[in-house]
Amino acid sequence: MQETKELNALFTLIDDPDEVVYTTVTEKLVGYGKPVIPNLEHLWETTPNEEIQERIEMIIHRLHFTDLQSDFTEWVNSPCPDLLFGALLVAKFQYPDLQTTPVLQDIEKIRRNVWLELNSFLTPLEQANVLSSIIYNYYHLKGIELKYENPDDFFLHKVLEAKKGNAIANSIIYQIICEKLEVNARIINIPKQSIIAFFNSEFELDESNTQYRDQIHFFVDATNGQAYSHTDIETYLKRIGASLDPAYFVPKTHPQIIKHLIGEVAKCFCKVEQEYKQQELLQLVALIDELIV
C-alpha cells in the first residue's frame, strides 16, 4: 500500500505510551485492512525496539484475525461449506500465510491411492479396510494422544506434514477422503471420541432427524482405523456411564465439526500471554454458533 501522510503519522504513534492513543492507532490501522500489512512488516524490519515490534506484531495479528472472521462468515453462509477449506481456515489463525497447495496435493495423493483400490463390488467394511490400509499403513498417518500442549496437532497442514495427528484432526482427514470418494462415512457425536460411522447407501443428512443409529453399518476409530461394531460402542457408552442417546449417532455437519475443532484449539492457548488468542478463537466459535442457528 502506498504510504500517505495519515499512515506515516499513525506509524509514528505506535510507540505512544498512552494506551488510549495506541488503541486508537490500532483501530485506525485495522481499518485499512490487509493492504497495510506489507507497510507494517517493513516498519517492523526497520525498528530495532522490541516493544514496538511486539505492538506491530499485534496489529498485524488483528488485521489477519479481522480478515479471518470475514472468511468464516462467508464459509458458513456458503451453500455447501467445504470441510477441507474450513479446516484450513482454522490453521490460518496460527499460520495466516499458509500455502494451501501442498495440503491439497497431499489429500489428492491419498484420495487417488484409495480410489485405485476401490471398486463398486466392495462391501462398506471392505471399503473401510481399504481406507484404513492406505491412510494408516501406506501413508503412515499416526494417531497421537489428545493433548493441548501443541496446537500443531490440530492443524491439517502440520498433521499431513508430520504424518501424525490427534483423533480430531485425523477424523477430519478421514471424512474428507471419504467425501471425495462418495463413501457414506461421517463423524458422529460419541462422547470423548472421534468416531466415523459408515452409513447405508440410502443415508441422507437431515438435521431434523435424530434416528440415525439403524442406518449405521459399523464404526471406525479415526486414531488408527480400527473398526467397531454396535456392540463395541454400546459397551463403551456403558463403561463411561452414558445412556444410548440417539443424538450420539447424528452425523456432525461441517460447521459443527469446524466449531468443535476451533474450541479444542482454543484449549492450547491457556498461558497468560496467549489468552488473547484463546479469546479470539472463542469469538470464532460464537460466530459460527450465531450463523448456524
Side-chain angles (χ1 to χ4, degrees):
M1 174 181 259
Q2 186 175 357
E3 292 195 14
T4 62
K5 287 182 180 179
E6 182 185 21
L7 205 53
N8 285 325
L10 291 171
F11 286 166
T12 61
L13 291 171
I14 285 178
D15 62 348
D16 196 294
D18 188 327
E19 282 296 323
V20 175
V21 173
Y22 171 62
T23 300
T24 303
V25 168
T26 299
E27 294 303 325
K28 283 188 173 291
L29 287 171
V30 169
Y32 278 96
K34 284 181 72 174
V36 80
I37 290 177
N39 304 67
L40 286 164
E41 289 174 337
H42 176 71
L43 181 63
W44 185 94
E45 291 168 358
T46 55
T47 301
N49 188 303
E50 288 187 9
E51 289 185 12
I52 298 174
Q53 285 182 331
E54 286 179 9
R55 285 190 164 194
I56 295 169
E57 287 168 9
M58 284 299 297
I59 295 169
I60 292 173
H61 177 78
R62 279 281 307 279
L63 282 157
H64 282 305
F65 181 67
T66 300
D67 197 56
L68 191 61
Q69 287 175 302
S70 298
D71 287 342
F72 267 111
T73 300
E74 186 178 341
W75 178 76
V76 176
N77 286 333
S78 63
C80 298
D82 181 78
L83 183 57
L84 175 56
F85 186 68
L88 291 175
L89 283 180
V90 178
K92 283 190 173 184
F93 174 80
Q94 188 77 342
Y95 297 94
D97 298 321
L98 170 65
Q99 298 300 309
T100 60
T101 301
V103 181
L104 300 178
Q105 289 172 340
D106 276 343
I107 291 292
E108 174 55 24
K109 284 177 188 174
I110 299 171
R111 185 209 67 82
R112 182 169 176 78
N113 279 308
V114 175
W115 175 75
L116 289 170
E117 299 295 327
L118 292 180
N119 64 65
S120 57
F121 301 106
L122 296 182
T123 65
L125 184 57
E126 288 170 335
Q127 290 179 330
N129 288 336
V130 170
L131 278 153
S132 294
S133 177
I134 297 296
I135 294 172
Y136 300 101
N137 298 331
Y138 179 78
Y139 187 74
H140 300 299
L141 180 64
K142 290 181 173 60
I144 58 175
E145 186 180 347
L146 179 60
K147 294 181 178 179
Y148 301 101
E149 297 166 0
N150 185 5
D152 283 354
D153 294 344
F154 295 88
F155 299 141
L156 253 61
H157 72 296
K158 287 295 183 180
V159 170
L160 290 167
E161 185 181 294
K163 295 192 176 181
K164 61 179 182 180
N166 57 43
I168 297 169
N170 287 2
S171 66
I172 291 172
I173 291 170
Y174 199 105
Q175 178 163 325
I176 288 168
I177 300 300
C178 286
E179 289 181 358
K180 288 183 175 294
L181 293 163
E182 298 183 349
V183 173
N184 277 335
R186 304 288 292 270
I187 298 169
I188 56 173
N189 290 291
I190 300 295
K192 302 178 183 178
Q193 296 291 332
S194 287
I195 297 293
I196 307 283
F198 275 69
F199 289 84
N200 64 39
S201 57
E202 289 77 37
F203 158 77
E204 285 186 12
L205 181 60
D206 177 2
E207 292 185 47
S208 64
N209 181 18
T210 59
Q211 303 303 314
Y212 282 99
R213 188 176 164 215
D214 293 341
Q215 298 186 53
I216 297 172
H217 291 298
F218 56 88
F219 310 84
V220 168
D221 185 339
T223 306
N224 53 24
Q226 182 177 345
Y228 295 127
S229 67
H230 278 270
T231 303
D232 292 327
I233 297 299
E234 289 166 18
T235 302
Y236 165 75
L237 291 172
K238 286 178 184 176
R239 193 168 71 245
I240 66 170
S243 61
L244 206 61
D245 189 336
Y248 294 155
F249 303 94
V250 177
K252 290 184 180 180
T253 65
H254 292 174
Q256 287 170 342
I257 292 169
I258 296 304
K259 187 185 82 170
H260 177 63
L261 176 64
I262 297 169
E264 292 296 294
V265 173
K267 295 176 184 176
C268 298
F269 299 103
C270 54
K271 294 178 181 176
V272 174
E273 66 272 17
Q274 299 174 323
E275 192 176 347
Y276 72 95
K277 288 191 174 184
Q278 187 176 80
Q279 293 306 312
E280 287 174 343
L281 287 162
L282 294 177
Q283 284 179 47
L284 290 177
V285 169
L287 173 66
I288 294 175
D289 254 339
E290 279 179 28
L291 294 169
I292 63 177
V293 169

